[in-house]
Amino acid sequence: MNNWELLMQGFSVAFTFSNAMAAFIGSLLGIVVGAMPGIGAAAGISMLLPMTFKMSPTAGIIMLAGIYYGNMYGGAYSATLLNIPGDTPAVVTALDGYQLTLKGKAGKSLATGNYASFIGGSIGIVFLTIFGPLLAEIGLKFGPAEVAALIFLALTSIGWLLGDDPVKGLVTACLGILLSTIGIDGASGNARYNFGSLNLIGGITFVPLVIGMFGFSQVLEMISDSKDFKVDGVKKLSIRESMLSWAEFKEIFWPSVRSGVLGNFIGFLPGAGATTGSFLAYILEKRIGKKRHTLGTGEITGVAVSEAANNAAAVGSFAPLLSLGIPGSSTSAVLLGGLMMWGLRPGPLLFESNPDFVWGLISSMYFGNILCLVAGMAVLPFLVSFLKISKRVMIPIIMVICLVGSYAVGNSIFDMGVMVTAGVVAFYLKKQAFPSSPVLLAFVLAPRLEVSMRQALSISQGSLWVFFEKPISAVILICTFALLLFPVIQKLIAFSKARKN
Amino acid sequence: MELAINLIIFLLSGYWCQQGLMVYTFWNKNQPGSGFIPVIFSVILMIFSCVLLIKEIKRIRMNHRQTSQTASTFSLSRIRPLLPVVYTIAAIVVFRFAGVVVSMFLTSFIWLLFISKVRLSKSLIISVIVTLLVYLIFVVWLRIPFPRSIFGF
């Protein structure tokens, strides 16, 4: 069957009652969670992950994917109305979005965000339909050495790109790898690093770790920042006043398409994610856009490029996740953890072994993206009162969800302790500018890295040459070393320049 | 704080490395052992944390030179986030003995009323809604076997 037929088959899966409902609920929840300032997609998905246990894997992942791209829509709302991005990708949206609010055009900004998100999301989904299977075909040619090299590159770029200091990113990535070694060693069957505890023999459970790192640490963050959110200058929004004129729509259309394409390719790269996508799209618009001189002063184009790019990147991150099993962002790492929990192993074989699942998910995205646009426009009149919900009220609610969710996965009080510990550690690491996302990405990827590396070395009788004799792994490793050495070279160049001066 | 974090990471990676080499076998009969990956990445981690440690010590020294009086002040804002941690641990203890319904109601209600200073009626309504949602989703729908209280829920 070709892609078109598979996609049509996927629609028949996506349009079953349970899957369509999952997409609807996911999109709506995503918008709500995204609009809540400071929570973010990874936290939202991790807290809602236990609610999908009873669902089929397809319905579960459709709902989680809906939360993810719904979140990208919702992130723009608090960025525009409060100048507080709902998630980091919406940081760029706040630049023009909040200025528009101050000018009394909050509705226009929010509607622009919705349209641009839809355009970016649609571009992402079309590209995923085309490139996802292609990437999987390439992935089928990978042996253990290539897989190990690819994961090594992914871990390096994740450490590099997330956070301000590459060394700190790499430190947290290594921490994630060490955490993943706790428990039974898959190859020998021996228990490792369990400190004599029976609870740790199976390793650290994924869900409590994620809930702690992204959900509970958020509670601590909210407590440490005593400022509450305030909606200034906007009393009421109506759909009619928010609608864009034809001229305004024309103004945002091409920049949105351009940013959508750019954002989608950024989403393919491990670690780059939606935030990098929206920043780069904004920079591109500043260079070549018609409104480049007034960008940042309250232009709807500024909102459009950021939103189109972050939505396209969010969908784009599904391509390496489904085709190669490599998550592009912390949110897709949570999704990967969810998939593995349901017994599915994302990678090149997933397209062949579970076509109903993969194409059902991709097809649901077409439907979910339309749902998000409709829901995004429908919530506009209620947004102001929704955003008035105080942080003081949100804290105990998040706390309860974190507690119950972390228990639900393994019916274990120990897991609740893991959640609290992970939250505290992630909070203090974040305070010292250590990004927490690499911990999670490495934790998810490391078991595959270990298996592939050990397989490759066993095949080659212990010779490291196995990683360099095949062209694909050799090229990937050269890229990895270049990435690792880049900061050193950069410093050397700066040092020699300084000496010359 | 950063100094302490880097030191802990350095010591932790040292432990991982020692265990990987001495207990779990790094290399055996031309094949990697259980300690192979832990040793490699713990060594990398030790190097990186060492770099950060040196950087931090240099930064502290520079600051020390610039400001002659460096009084180490204990800031309350640093331990403020520990309040929900203690509170959550207490909630887990209550959860263990009083069951999910009672503990989750108390967790949200006490926080709302006494820490968030939300009105009594509003605290009560929010807590009841949250508990009801938890009960419906996790107990009725997902059938999670939570610990039960003496009341049977």
Side-chain angles (χ1 to χ4, degrees):
Chain A
M1 273 201 274
N2 61 30
N3 284 2
W4 177 252
E5 286 168 331
L6 286 164
L7 185 67
M8 288 300 123
Q9 195 181 314
F11 274 114
S12 66
V13 176
F15 281 118
T16 56
F17 179 73
S18 57
N19 292 344
M21 276 305 285
F24 176 70
I25 296 170
S27 312
L28 214 63
L29 278 176
I31 289 178
V32 171
V33 171
M36 286 178 177
I39 293 186
I45 292 181
S46 55
M47 284 192 287
L48 297 169
L49 193 60
M51 290 183 198
T52 60
F53 290 166
K54 198 80 188 282
M55 297 177 177
S56 70
T58 313
I61 197 76
I62 284 175
M63 185 169 138
L64 295 179
I67 296 172
Y68 188 14
Y69 50 73
N71 200 284
M72 293 296 144
Y73 276 74
Y77 303 159
S78 51
T80 298
L81 295 174
L82 305 169
N83 202 20
I84 302 170
D87 200 357
T88 38
V91 169
V92 184
T93 310
L95 297 176
D96 283 275
Y98 190 62
Q99 292 300 322
L100 281 163
T101 301
L102 295 179
K103 286 179 184 174
K105 292 180 181 172
K108 293 272 181 198
S109 170
L110 295 168
T112 303
N114 283 337
Y115 292 142
S117 296
F118 179 75
I119 296 169
S122 303
I123 291 168
I125 299 163
V126 171
F127 278 31
L128 175 65
T129 313
I130 300 166
F131 292 111
L134 276 177
L135 214 56
E137 261 177 50
I138 297 169
L140 280 173
K141 295 186 177 115
F142 284 17
E146 285 90 346
V147 172
L150 186 68
I151 297 175
F152 200 53
L153 172 67
L155 288 174
T156 313
S157 65
I158 285 160
W160 228 95
L161 292 166
L162 297 172
D164 302 327
D165 185 347
V167 180
K168 286 186 174 174
L170 292 169
V171 162
T172 49
C174 287
L175 268 180
I177 295 174
L178 296 193
L179 279 183
S180 77
T181 59
I182 294 174
I184 300 277
D185 166 26
S188 66
N190 295 329
R192 292 183 296 189
Y193 302 102
N194 65 332
F195 304 96
S197 162
L198 285 176
N199 289 306
L200 285 175
I201 279 193
I204 294 177
T205 319
F206 177 75
V207 177
L209 179 77
V210 177
I211 293 179
M213 277 177 59
F214 292 101
F216 192 65
S217 70
Q218 210 57 54
V219 170
L220 307 186
E221 195 90 46
M222 284 176 172
I223 288 279
S224 65
D225 179 15
S226 51
K227 258 198 307 185
D228 211 342
F229 324 125
K230 257 188 186 165
V231 187
D232 291 326
V234 189
K235 288 206 170 116
K236 216 178 168 190
L237 289 168
S238 75
I239 299 176
R240 188 185 269 184
E241 282 169 23
S242 306
M243 294 300 262
L244 296 186
S245 66
W246 179 241
E248 285 168 330
F249 185 75
K250 273 204 303 192
E251 185 189 322
I252 64 156
F253 183 74
W254 284 113
S256 302
V257 171
R258 208 161 41 217
S259 310
V261 174
L262 174 69
N264 190 251
F265 281 104
I266 299 292
F268 278 19
L269 306 172
T275 312
T276 317
S278 55
F279 267 105
L280 288 181
Y282 198 79
I283 291 167
L284 180 75
E285 202 54 32
K286 269 255 181 209
R287 290 266 163 88
I288 62 164
K290 275 185 189 165
K291 301 262 173 166
R292 58 180 175 272
H293 300 300
T294 48
L295 226 55
T297 59
E299 287 290 348
I300 52 171
T301 318
V303 175
V305 291
S306 160
E307 283 305 300
N310 68 38
N311 269 267
V315 179
S317 68
F318 278 88
L321 172 71
L322 295 173
S323 321
L324 302 171
I326 308 277
S329 62
S330 50
T331 316
S332 42
V334 182
L335 292 175
L336 176 64
L339 288 172
M340 294 202 286
M341 213 171 57
W342 290 309
L344 291 163
R345 209 177 147 181
L349 288 173
L350 193 69
F351 276 81
E352 283 186 4
S353 57
N354 289 79
D356 276 2
F357 168 79
V358 177
W359 289 101
L361 170 64
I362 294 174
S363 308
S364 79
M365 288 180 174
Y366 285 92
F367 169 57
N369 201 29
I370 298 169
L371 276 178
C372 279
L373 177 65
V374 175
M377 292 308 289
V379 297
L380 288 184
F382 312 103
L383 262 181
V384 175
S385 38
F386 176 72
L387 285 173
K388 277 184 182 159
I389 297 176
S390 166
K391 215 159 68 166
R392 295 179 304 145
V393 174
M394 272 159 63
I395 288 170
I397 298 175
I398 298 175
M399 221 188 289
V400 166
I401 296 172
C402 289
L403 277 171
V404 180
S406 57
Y407 180 86
V409 66
N411 309 327
S412 153
I413 301 270
F414 180 79
D415 284 345
M416 291 169 124
V418 169
M419 184 275 291
V420 175
T421 313
V424 176
V425 172
F427 171 75
Y428 283 106
L429 282 177
K430 235 187 278 176
K431 280 268 158 214
Q432 300 305 320
F434 284 90
S436 51
S437 306
V439 179
L440 181 70
L441 285 149
F443 183 80
V444 174
L445 285 173
R448 252 182 89 204
L449 171 73
E450 181 164 22
V451 169
S452 311
M453 232 172 153
R454 286 168 73 173
Q455 270 177 353
L457 287 167
S458 297
I459 293 166
S460 69
Q461 292 287 309
S463 163
L464 281 173
W465 188 240
V466 69
F467 295 107
F468 296 96
E469 62 187 13
K470 289 181 182 169
I472 299 175
S473 57
V475 170
I476 295 172
L477 281 178
I478 289 167
C479 292
T480 311
F481 290 125
L483 209 59
L484 277 171
L485 290 175
F486 184 71
V488 182
I489 296 166
Q490 216 177 11
K491 277 200 174 162
L492 282 175
I493 293 169
F495 182 68
S496 67
K497 266 186 188 172
R499 271 189 73 179
K500 269 183 196 170
N501 287 337
Chain B
M1 186 70 171
E2 187 163 345
L3 199 71
I5 287 178
N6 287 316
L7 200 63
I8 292 169
I9 293 174
F10 182 78
L11 293 173
L12 197 76
S13 47
Y15 172 77
W16 239 260
C17 184
Q18 182 270 333
Q19 290 283 301
L21 286 170
M22 315 297 273
V23 183
Y24 304 119
T25 331
F26 179 74
W27 198 264
N28 189 21
K29 293 175 190 162
N30 268 345
Q31 282 192 359
S34 295
F36 181 70
I37 288 285
V39 169
I40 290 178
F41 285 96
S42 56
V43 170
I44 296 175
L45 189 54
M46 278 166 84
I47 296 167
F48 284 144
S49 53
C50 219
V51 169
L52 290 177
L53 256 174
I54 294 166
K55 259 190 190 176
E56 186 57 17
I57 290 169
K58 272 186 183 171
R59 194 186 63 83
I60 291 171
R61 274 191 186 166
M62 283 280 279
N63 284 354
H64 195 78
R65 263 184 224 154
Q66 279 166 3
T67 53
S68 51
Q69 279 186 321
T70 50
S72 64
T73 49
F74 178 75
S75 149
L76 258 178
S77 63
R78 271 192 187 172
I79 56 158
R80 200 178 148 168
L82 291 178
L83 172 70
V85 176
V86 175
Y87 188 81
T88 311
I89 292 167
I92 294 173
V93 174
V94 177
F95 173 85
R96 175 81 183 80
F97 296 105
V100 66
V101 175
V102 177
S103 66
M104 290 308 117
F105 173 78
L106 289 177
T107 304
S108 49
F109 181 71
I110 294 173
W111 187 283
L112 283 167
L113 190 65
F114 296 108
I115 299 170
S116 294
K117 309 258 190 271
V118 176
R119 277 201 326 270
L120 176 70
S121 56
K122 204 175 164 187
S123 301
L124 210 62
I125 293 168
I126 296 170
S127 309
V128 168
I129 293 172
V130 170
T131 314
L132 196 69
L133 279 176
V134 165
Y135 184 76
L136 290 175
I137 294 171
F138 288 93
V139 180
V140 177
W141 184 40
L142 295 174
R143 295 185 187 282
I144 307 291
F146 286 110
R148 287 168 183 233
S149 65
I150 46 165
F151 309 108
F153 54 79

